[in-house]
Amino acid sequence: MSIQNTVVLISGFARAGKDTFADGMISRDDGLFAMKRSFASTLKNAADNYLDDVGLFDHDQGVTFSDEDFKIKHRDILVTLGHFARSIDKDVFANALYRQFLTMCVGVRPNPMHFIVPDWRYSNELRVGREWAKEHGWRIVTVRIDRAGLHPANEEEALSLAEIRRETPCDHEYIFAEGQTEAIKAAGRQLAAHLGL
């Protein structure tokens, strides 16, 4: 039986270790193709396109939403644009990401591709993913990462992640303590191996 294209959705509070876990998942070096992508990437690209259109984009000077310091300083812009786009179509970012996955899967066939998404924040992102998966024969795997003593970053995060917890029992759940970076990466590698990624 051939390995399916796989989408791994990782949920958890900010600073829980989702990106670290994802980095562990993609760090295996055995010839299989796994990559990390995020629902927020479309939004950051759109904001960078705006900067470019008005002549402000400068990757070398860090004037880009791919620069962590710049993104943190101007996070309110991303939040406002995200709310605006989701008010028109709440599935806009989910559909954009899954459309990218389909394009990449078609482009590299017959090799399976595996996508690790460390910013699963809304229940509709899983619902939309399941629709795409059903149509294209993908496998969806859900993961929840918790860190002992960590609380939501804001009310929106608390509400959206509570909705996910209420509606979706995750396939894999992990709880880590503060400062367990290597343990988080190791757990990511172990799950990737378990899933055949």
Side-chain angles (χ1 to χ4, degrees), residues 17 27-28 48 56-57 59 62 75 79-80 88 104 115-118 128 131 180 182 193:
S27 67
R28 295 180 66 228
D48 275 348
L56 294 174
F57 181 89
H59 193 275
R75 186 175 189 280
V79 169
T80 300
I88 297 169
M104 288 185 261
F115 304 100
I116 316 302
V117 184
V128 172
E131 292 167 5
Q180 288 193 301
E182 289 309 313

Side-chain angles (χ1 to χ4, degrees), residues 2-66:
S2 63
I3 299 174
Q4 290 174 284
N5 295 321
T6 304
V7 178
V8 178
L9 300 178
I10 305 174
S11 180
F13 294 143
R15 302 176 315 282
K18 301 183 300 293
D19 275 297
T20 302
F21 190 91
D23 290 341
M25 291 193 77
I26 63 174
S27 67
R28 295 180 66 228
D29 186 21
D30 56 9
L32 293 176
F33 195 64
M35 64 175 61
K36 185 167 73 168
R37 291 288 187 266
S38 69
F39 290 110
S41 61
T42 299
L43 179 59
K44 288 189 279 190
N45 289 342
D48 275 348
N49 286 338
Y50 168 77
L51 290 172
D52 193 38
D53 286 348
V54 297
L56 294 174
F57 181 89
D58 188 334
H59 193 275
D60 294 335
Q61 296 297 316
V63 183
T64 168
F65 284 94
S66 64

Side-chain angles (χ1 to χ4, degrees), residues 2 14 20-22 28 31 34 48 87 91 95 110 157 172 184-185:
S2 63
T20 302
F21 190 91
R28 295 180 66 228
D48 275 348
S87 74
D91 297 337
N95 277 315
E157 182 179 77
H172 304 274
I184 295 171
K185 285 183 182 176

Side-chain angles (χ1 to χ4, degrees), residues 12-15 75-76 79 83 121-122 150-162:
F13 294 143
R15 302 176 315 282
R75 186 175 189 280
D76 57 328
V79 169
H83 282 248
R121 292 189 182 97
Y122 300 100
L150 188 65
H151 301 288
N154 52 51
E155 184 179 355
E156 181 181 3
E157 182 179 77
L159 293 173
S160 64
L161 295 184

Side-chain angles (χ1 to χ4, degrees), residues 64-80:
T64 168
F65 284 94
S66 64
D67 180 88
E68 192 63 24
D69 291 336
F70 185 85
K71 183 182 79 172
I72 290 169
K73 182 177 179 182
H74 301 290
R75 186 175 189 280
D76 57 328
I77 299 297
L78 294 178
V79 169
T80 300

Side-chain angles (χ1 to χ4, degrees), residues 83 86 119-126 156 160-161 164:
H83 282 248
R86 286 175 57 87
D119 68 340
W120 171 32
R121 292 189 182 97
Y122 300 100
S123 58
N124 72 299
E125 293 165 341
L126 174 60
E156 181 181 3
S160 64
L161 295 184
I164 288 174

